């Protein structure tokens, strides 16, 4: 079954025909909110708002372990996560959709693995390719079916938040090879890998990162909403085309 994780600006999946909602509990606590179950084009889908349905959970306090565990526990095998990012690379202007293929983790203090505790053996995962390539290609195919456009590939830097970055920090990320910056991609991607979930991301560029383009004197937070609304509607159209591609 396909699971969709919604981020900032995507707390509701309006094209989902809801059948029921369920409050779930996991060995790692409660997820961000009740799981929403339903169908899109007669295909079963589950949806979870990463920040809660009232957008009240900041990036560093999201219970990523509970979120991913609950998805797998309810039968998800494929996960498409939607996340908002700032564009570092010059061509990643507001409104651009990106399907990243690499990630750099700058977060700290988050519960980032299921393999901790004295009762568990030391376990390593191969994170060379952080996103599932089959799901990435399914997203890209869905973009074309929806008549939309996206950037195929890119390095997603994940910072701690909730504050935005300084211009100097963005310069550092650029030197490290990052193309975009967000706050929620990790440990979400690595936890999905630990659980064997096929996970990929649609990144929505909602602003230019600090010191870039029109944000040289500061990120214009008041304009993000005007970009986010139409961009998230495009994402919904893409998701309609993505369901059913893997036998969901």
């Amino acid at each position: 079954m396909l699971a969709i994780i919604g981020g900032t600006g995507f707390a509701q999946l309006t094209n989902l025909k809801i059948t029921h909602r369920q409050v779930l509990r996991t060995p790692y606590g409660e997820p961000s909110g009740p799981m929403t179950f339903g169908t899109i084009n007669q295909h079963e889908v589950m949806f979870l708002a990463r920040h809660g349905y009232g957008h009240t959970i900041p990036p560093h306090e999201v219970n990523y372990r509970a979120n991913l565990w609950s998805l797998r526990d309810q039968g998800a095998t494929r996960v498409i996560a939607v996340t908002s990012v700032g564009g570092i690379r010059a061509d990643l202007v507001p409104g651009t959709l990106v399907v990243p293929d690499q990630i750099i983790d700058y977060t700290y203090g988050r519960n980032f693995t299921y393999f901790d505790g004295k009762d568990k053996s030391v376990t390593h995962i191969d994170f060379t390719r952080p996103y599932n390539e089959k799901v990435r290609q399914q997203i890209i195919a869905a973009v074309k079916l929806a008549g939309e456009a996206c950037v195929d590939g890119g390095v997603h830097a994940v910072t701690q938040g909730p504050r935005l970055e300084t211009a100097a920090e963005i310069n550092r990320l650029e030197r490290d090879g990052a193309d975009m910056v967000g706050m929620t991609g990790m440990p979400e991607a690595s936890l999905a890998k630990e659980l064997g979930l096929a996970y990929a991301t649609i990144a929505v560029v909602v602003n230019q990162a600090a010191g870039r383009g029109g944000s040289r004197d500061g990120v214009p937070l008041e304009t993000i909403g005007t970009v986010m609304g139409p961009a998230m509607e495009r994402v919904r159209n893409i998701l309609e085309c993505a369901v059913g591609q893997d036998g969901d």
Side-chain angles (χ1 to χ4, degrees):
M1 184 188 300
L2 172 64
I4 298 167
I5 300 175
T8 299
F10 205 75
Q12 294 183 8
L13 192 54
T14 54
N15 47 356
L16 177 67
K17 185 178 179 180
I18 298 172
T19 56
H20 67 286
R21 293 185 175 90
Q22 186 174 346
V23 175
L24 302 171
R25 291 175 176 81
T26 78
Y28 303 95
E30 295 185 5
S32 295
M35 191 74 69
T36 301
F37 296 85
T39 60
I40 297 177
N41 295 337
Q42 299 182 329
H43 294 283
E44 291 186 357
V45 174
M46 64 179 78
F47 176 79
L48 181 65
R50 184 187 291 117
H51 298 284
Y53 291 93
H55 201 268
T56 56
I57 307 171
H60 64 293
E61 293 186 353
V62 171
N63 192 339
Y64 296 96
R65 291 197 297 184
N67 285 353
L68 273 298
W69 188 275
S70 65
L71 294 179
R72 191 191 67 166
D73 195 47
Q74 293 300 309
T77 56
R78 186 168 60 120
V79 180
I80 297 177
V82 181
T83 188
S84 299
V85 297
I88 298 175
R89 210 170 73 195
D91 62 316
L92 300 186
V93 297
T96 304
L97 304 182
V98 189
V99 186
D101 62 348
Q102 279 296 330
I103 201 164
I104 305 176
D105 186 11
Y106 298 93
T107 66
Y108 50 87
R110 301 184 182 187
N111 292 318
F112 60 90
T113 182
Y114 296 106
F115 302 124
D116 58 0
K118 295 181 179 179
D119 60 329
K120 295 185 176 70
S121 61
V122 176
T123 303
H124 303 285
I125 60 167
D126 180 5
F127 208 49
T128 305
R129 303 294 178 188
Y131 301 109
N132 181 275
E133 186 59 25
K134 181 178 179 181
V135 178
R136 273 198 356 98
Q137 293 304 321
Q138 288 172 346
I139 293 171
I140 292 165
V143 169
K144 294 177 181 177
L145 283 173
E148 300 290 351
C150 73
V151 175
D152 179 0
V155 180
H156 180 192
V158 186
T159 58
Q160 182 70 357
R163 69 166 177 85
L164 300 182
E165 301 73 31
T166 68
E169 287 170 333
I170 294 299
N171 289 340
R172 174 203 172 192
L173 299 185
E174 185 176 44
R175 290 194 298 270
D176 286 351
D179 299 307
M180 69 205 85
V181 58
M183 300 175 188
T184 58
M186 287 291 290
E188 195 171 89
S190 59
L191 290 170
K193 180 82 77 169
E194 286 187 355
L195 292 177
L197 291 167
Y199 173 99
T201 292
I202 301 174
V204 182
V205 181
V206 296
N207 62 276
Q208 291 178 296
R212 296 293 182 273
S215 66
R216 293 186 185 280
D217 296 322
V219 177
L221 298 176
E222 67 280 358
T223 65
I224 289 177
T226 61
V227 173
M228 191 176 294
M232 293 304 177
E233 187 58 37
R234 292 165 58 207
V235 170
R236 291 184 182 95
N237 294 336
I238 292 165
L239 290 172
E240 280 196 11
C241 295
V243 299
Q245 290 194 45
D246 203 33
D248 299 310

